[in-house]
Amino acid sequence: MPARRSVLAAMAAALPAAGLPALTTTASAAPAAPAARPLAGGGDLGPNVLVFDPSTPDIQGKLDEIFRKQERAQFGTGRYALLFKPGTYHGLNAQLGFYTSIAGLGLSPDDTSINGDVTVDAGWFDGNATQNFWRSAENLALTPVSGTNRWAVAQAAPFRRMHIRGGLNLAPDGYGWASGGYIADSRIDGTVGPYSQQQWYTRDSSVGGWTNAVWNMVFSGVEGAPAQSFPNPPYTTLDTTPVSREKPFLYLDGDAYRVFLPEKRTNARGTTWGSGTPRGTSLPLSQFYVVKPGTSAATMNQALDQGLHLLLTPGIHHLDRAVEVKRANTVVLGLGYATLVPDGGVTALKVADVDGVRLAGFLIDAGPVNSATLLEIGPEGASADHAANPTTVQDVFLRIGGAGPGKATTSMVINSNHTIVDHTWVWRADHGDGVGWETNRADYGVRVNGADVLATGLFVEHFNKYDVEWRGERGRTIFFQNEKAYDAPNQAAVQDGSTKGYAAYKVVGSVTTHEGWGLGSYCYYNVDPTIRQDHAFAAPRTPGVKFHDLLVVSLSGHGQFEHVINDTGAGTSGTDTVPSTVVAYP
């Protein structure tokens, strides 16, 4: 059985000036401060957004240049978006490295056709794809040269709105280890072969076939998906996705950029674009403030208060205060893995308890001073009903450490009801710079307080305490991937009262209704392999709390699970890296 990535990896604006004391006078009040000049929307997208059309000379040369920069730059500062205008392109192989996004600029994937490949492989890491993070492909039609496109990725590498006129291979050359991944709103005419991929989630798509499974393959709303058969083979298949709303995307209307906002679907199945123009609305770029590196948080907040949306261009954006989204239906859309870094212990982004906010396509990287939270969806005590128009969080990734020391008590807090989290990777780094049990301390990954929250594609790893803690009623998760923190120094460090080990996914005892499908957790305690986990999943035993298709794995015997959920499910043992499973709970 393949092991996990780190098994191999281990073997600006200035601060405002202090105000002067107020002066009192009996003559007249001080004049009001002049109002800030309104900010303009639109504008160019900066030097790291490269736009091609079929007549652009030497496209392949530019693609190769970017790949050479980004192939090994796992914790580098380069960020790139490669955008292709509608048309047909021939003979291209776009190899994607770190922090590189490729996308078509049509309304439909079929508007932008590449006779060639968009490739992710793992030559840089000796054929091991388990660290192929932070890259994406979106809104293109590909006709692969060999008949099959290779997309060997790990976490934070979404494949959205893609049409593959052929097959899709999710494994690296040589079928080395792999640990992805996520597909949504895509059509693969041929067969998808995950091969060495340990887990995968596919949503609202169409496939010509699916072959092979290792530990956990989950499908919801996928035409052509294999039938439910967990654990042998480990396919978890839901006929539809309860609620979904596809990610916003940039496109061209003639020569003008617009952002398309797909409409919400219930009980969705198949792609949004298969029968022509997708359903939804769009906004002109002039309604977006284009954020470039060096833009202050105060300026971003001024733009939001004006009623503008935010388009985050590729780069590193430092924040000395929270970016605050207060208006309903606001869009914050990132290109090319635009990265927000909260300085001085602030929260990077806060969303009010309003309808229809869309957050998509960016990375939040914790700073060296501890932040209480990195991302807050709704304030504490949020109570509004957003069922008709929920907030969506899509391809928003959070990282603590790896690129340098970072700390955050809780990474993502969801207080607003009906929020949809559609593909996230919330990661306390287990390798890179600034990594250590206390160096990149982060107790909680995701805490859910709101009711009726849905997670589709939830990846949360390595937190010092609970990776996911769910307090809201009627929560649902379709696909969960987790690793417990590798670097726990001893059993006492992970002792949760009388329980050995903090659960990877905990539903608190007061919850009466909750449901999850296709959830997996793995342990690899490489500092102290004698550590025991009582279970990976903890939940009240009540008829309204239901789980389907759970698994736990001990990676090569470095730590063990006693049970799967609560006191149910056989424990792991030995060094065989064989899952222990529970098909239904209770």
Side-chain angles (χ1 to χ4, degrees):
M1 299 290 288
R4 282 285 291 157
R5 61 176 171 274
S6 290
V7 180
L8 276 199
M11 330 241 197
L15 291 170
L20 296 174
L23 298 177
T24 59
T25 175
T26 57
S28 63
R37 180 178 299 173
L39 298 169
D44 74 272
L45 303 180
N48 292 335
V49 176
L50 286 72
V51 181
F52 305 102
D53 65 46
S55 66
T56 302
D58 195 22
I59 297 174
Q60 187 65 53
K62 180 56 70 172
L63 297 175
D64 292 345
E65 175 190 340
I66 300 300
F67 181 63
R68 284 192 296 269
K69 292 178 180 178
Q70 299 303 113
E71 181 184 10
R72 299 173 180 271
Q74 181 171 177
F75 297 109
T77 58
R79 303 287 188 273
Y80 295 93
L82 312 175
L83 306 182
F84 286 75
K85 294 182 179 181
T88 302
Y89 301 78
H90 297 282
L92 297 181
N93 181 17
Q95 299 183 80
L96 298 189
F98 289 98
Y99 313 109
T100 306
S101 298
I102 189 170
L105 287 170
L107 261 181
S108 164
D110 289 335
D111 293 341
T112 310
S113 294
I114 294 177
N115 292 315
D117 297 80
V118 172
T119 301
V120 177
D121 206 346
W124 74 278
F125 200 43
D126 298 324
N128 173 9
T130 59
Q131 292 184 25
N132 282 350
F133 313 136
W134 304 306
R135 61 202 76 196
S136 67
E138 186 172 0
N139 206 28
L140 294 166
L142 304 179
T143 304
V145 170
S146 69
T148 300
N149 189 77
R150 186 183 302 279
W151 184 255
V153 298
Q155 286 80 356
F159 198 79
R160 289 184 182 269
R161 294 177 55 77
M162 295 290 287
H163 183 191
I164 308 300
R165 298 176 175 131
L168 186 63
N169 182 351
L170 303 178
D173 186 33
Y175 301 97
W177 297 333
S179 181
Y182 175 91
I183 293 171
D185 202 23
S186 294
R187 175 180 171 185
I188 294 90
D189 293 343
T191 297
V192 180
Y195 304 112
S196 55
Q197 284 286 356
Q198 294 156 352
Q199 65 274 315
W200 199 276
Y201 175 51
T202 307
R203 178 182 63 71
D204 297 355
S205 294
S206 173
V207 299
W210 191 280
T211 182
N212 199 69
V214 177
W215 291 339
N216 192 30
M217 300 283 146
V218 180
F219 309 84
S220 67
V222 179
E223 298 167 344
Q228 169 72 31
S229 58
F230 188 90
N232 188 26
Y235 295 138
T236 297
T237 303
L238 286 72
D239 190 57
T240 61
T241 303
V243 187
S244 59
R245 188 173 68 191
E246 298 304 328
K247 172 183 171 289
F249 61 92
L250 192 69
Y251 75 103
L252 278 173
D253 181 10
D255 293 327
Y257 286 111
R258 298 182 70 89
V259 172
F260 193 81
L261 308 176
E263 71 175 15
K264 187 188 77 169
R265 298 198 291 171
T266 56
N267 299 318
R269 182 172 172 82
T271 68
T272 62
W273 51 269
S275 57
T277 303
R279 297 175 63 90
T281 59
S282 72
L283 298 169
L285 190 63
S286 61
Q287 292 185 22
F288 284 79
Y289 185 75
V290 178
V291 178
K292 296 176 181 175
T295 302
S296 70
T299 299
M300 296 185 213
N301 285 329
Q302 181 188 344
L304 291 168
D305 290 344
Q306 266 182 229
L308 293 171
H309 309 273
L310 298 182
L311 186 71
L312 309 175
T313 63
I316 312 296
H317 306 270
H318 284 269
L319 307 172
D320 65 353
R321 68 197 69 179
V323 175
E324 298 194 52
V325 177
K326 303 173 184 176
R327 301 167 68 100
N329 301 310
T330 298
V331 180
V332 180
L333 175 63
L335 301 178
Y337 286 82
T339 300
L340 303 177
V341 181
D343 295 327
V346 303
T347 296
L349 186 60
K350 295 183 178 182
V351 179
D353 193 23
V354 295
D355 272 359
V357 172
R358 304 180 195 229
L359 309 179
F362 55 90
L363 172 65
I364 298 176
D365 210 352
V369 178
N370 185 72
S371 293
T373 57
L374 296 177
L375 174 62
E376 294 180 11
I377 309 300
E380 185 176 352
S383 59
D385 186 318
H386 305 294
N389 187 13
T391 285
T392 47
V393 182
Q394 300 177 283
D395 301 347
V396 174
F397 308 118
L398 286 75
R399 178 172 69 191
I400 303 92
K407 292 185 178 183
T409 302
T410 304
S411 291
M412 185 189 302
V413 178
I414 301 169
N415 292 317
S416 286
N417 299 331
H418 303 98
T419 300
I420 299 172
V421 179
D422 176 45
H423 190 225
T424 189
W425 185 36
V426 184
W427 186 55
R428 176 181 167 264
D430 60 276
H431 63 273
D433 294 332
V435 171
W437 185 248
E438 296 295 344
T439 306
N440 63 330
R441 181 85 193 185
D443 283 351
Y444 307 103
V446 177
R447 300 181 103 171
V448 180
N449 299 315
D452 299 287
V453 172
L454 170 66
T456 51
L458 185 60
F459 299 72
V460 189
E461 297 186 302
H462 304 306
F463 285 84
N464 295 74
K465 292 186 178 179
Y466 301 123
D467 299 278
V468 173
E469 186 180 30
W470 210 295
R471 295 177 175 274
E473 285 286 357
R474 296 178 301 280
R476 292 175 290 183
T477 295
I478 304 173
F479 183 88
F480 172 66
Q481 185 269 325
N482 166 262
E483 287 180 341
K484 294 305 301 171
Y486 291 171
D487 55 346
N490 49 51
Q491 186 75 51
V494 294
Q495 192 72 13
D496 183 14
S498 62
T499 300
K500 296 193 293 288
Y502 286 87
Y505 187 108
K506 176 172 180 154
V507 181
V508 304
S510 59
V511 170
T512 61
T513 306
H514 188 93
E515 196 159 10
W517 297 262
L519 282 63
S521 176
Y522 326 131
C523 71
Y524 181 71
Y525 288 114
N526 59 356
V527 175
D528 181 0
T530 68
I531 291 175
R532 315 287 293 191
Q533 285 270 150
D534 275 347
H535 44 239
F537 303 96
R541 190 178 183 93
T542 184
V545 176
K546 303 175 184 178
F547 288 91
H548 315 271
D549 301 354
L550 304 175
L551 72 147
V552 296
V553 179
S554 168
L555 300 173
S556 64
H558 286 72
Q560 300 289 349
F561 290 98
E562 305 282 9
H563 301 285
V564 179
I565 179 169
N566 295 344
D567 57 359
T568 299
T572 58
S573 62
T575 60
D576 292 336
T577 314
V578 173
S580 177
T581 62
V582 168
V583 173
Y585 182 88

